[in-house]
Amino acid sequence: MSPQVFIVIGPAGSGKTTIAQQTAEKHQAAYLDKDRVSGRFVEFAMTAAGHDPTDRESSDYYRNNLLPLEYETLMDVAGVNLRLGRSVVLDAPFGAYFGEPDYLSRAADSFQWPPSAITVVRVRVPKDILRSRLIHRGLERDQWKLAHWDEYWSLYGRLECTWSGVEYLDFNNEAPLHVP
């Protein structure tokens, strides 16, 4: 059986990590989280270049220099696993690439992915629940998002993925956060 690719997308706080990890477990796939693969290097590079390491959304430096490297690294690591016959689950927002219908086919070619079925899992959550989750989790990297909520939501909360050649599955994750 050919390895499969599952790409779990959604805004920060939508629950994509939980869904991605459950998908990896169910399919015995390699779990590749963009922030775990390259997050520490990105924070170091942002700091070294004199930028706030937690503000990726409004940083041109991040978007122009580091974001492409993060995704290239993620897709490269995915390709290695796929060539080894291992299915992969990619956990990342991918929003910067939603408007490029051929993004995945170009990445697959660039990083020598073998023929693989690709499923994009879109994790959806209403605006008010998402904001509440970001407040509750209290991460420093969410501070810009919360301080500029309307701008953040208008840019990232409603992005629609236009990738071709994939199967789309929508996961409605609107259950409010329950604090134990």
Side-chain angles (χ1 to χ4, degrees), residues 39-40 42-48 50-56 62 140-141:
R40 289 175 185 87
V42 167
E43 288 178 7
F44 177 83
M46 292 283 286
T47 301
H51 300 279
D52 178 352
T54 65
D55 179 11
R56 298 178 186 180
Y62 169 75
E140 194 172 335
R141 68 179 186 227

Side-chain angles (χ1 to χ4, degrees), residues 12-170:
S14 63
K16 73 180 164 297
T17 295
T18 300
I19 302 307
Q21 289 176 350
Q22 290 172 351
T23 302
E25 186 175 21
K26 178 180 178 180
H27 295 277
Q28 297 182 349
Y31 170 71
L32 304 175
D33 177 335
K34 177 186 70 70
D35 289 334
R36 292 191 188 266
V37 169
S38 59
R40 289 175 185 87
F41 297 108
V42 167
E43 288 178 7
F44 177 83
M46 292 283 286
T47 301
H51 300 279
D52 178 352
T54 65
D55 179 11
R56 298 178 186 180
E57 284 75 17
S58 70
S59 172
D60 288 336
Y61 177 78
Y62 169 75
R63 281 193 304 272
N64 296 329
N65 298 288
L66 301 175
L67 180 136
L69 292 173
E70 279 188 297
Y71 283 96
E72 288 170 12
T73 302
L74 184 66
M75 301 310 250
D76 191 8
V77 173
V80 170
N81 279 276
L82 292 166
R83 288 190 302 279
L84 292 171
R86 181 95 171 159
S87 293
V88 297
V89 176
L90 305 179
D91 176 359
F94 281 98
Y97 301 105
F98 283 179
E100 301 176 29
D102 65 339
Y103 172 73
L104 288 180
S105 60
R106 285 186 292 112
D109 287 345
S110 293
F111 298 105
Q112 304 165 355
W113 290 12
S116 307
I118 300 175
T119 302
V120 175
V121 180
R122 296 180 288 207
V123 181
R124 309 238 189 226
V125 65
K127 178 181 177 180
D128 57 329
I129 293 174
L130 184 68
R131 187 171 192 278
S132 175
R133 288 180 184 174
L134 292 179
I135 290 168
H136 179 267
R137 74 182 192 176
L139 297 178
E140 194 172 335
R141 68 179 186 227
D142 294 333
Q143 294 312 303
W144 185 91
K145 297 172 187 87
L146 292 167
H148 302 88
W149 181 249
D150 290 333
E151 179 183 354
Y152 172 75
W153 181 258
S154 70
L155 292 173
Y156 300 100
R158 300 185 212 182
L159 289 175
E160 287 300 325
C161 187
T162 64
W163 297 335
S164 58
V166 302
E167 176 186 356
Y168 287 99
L169 293 176
D170 286 327

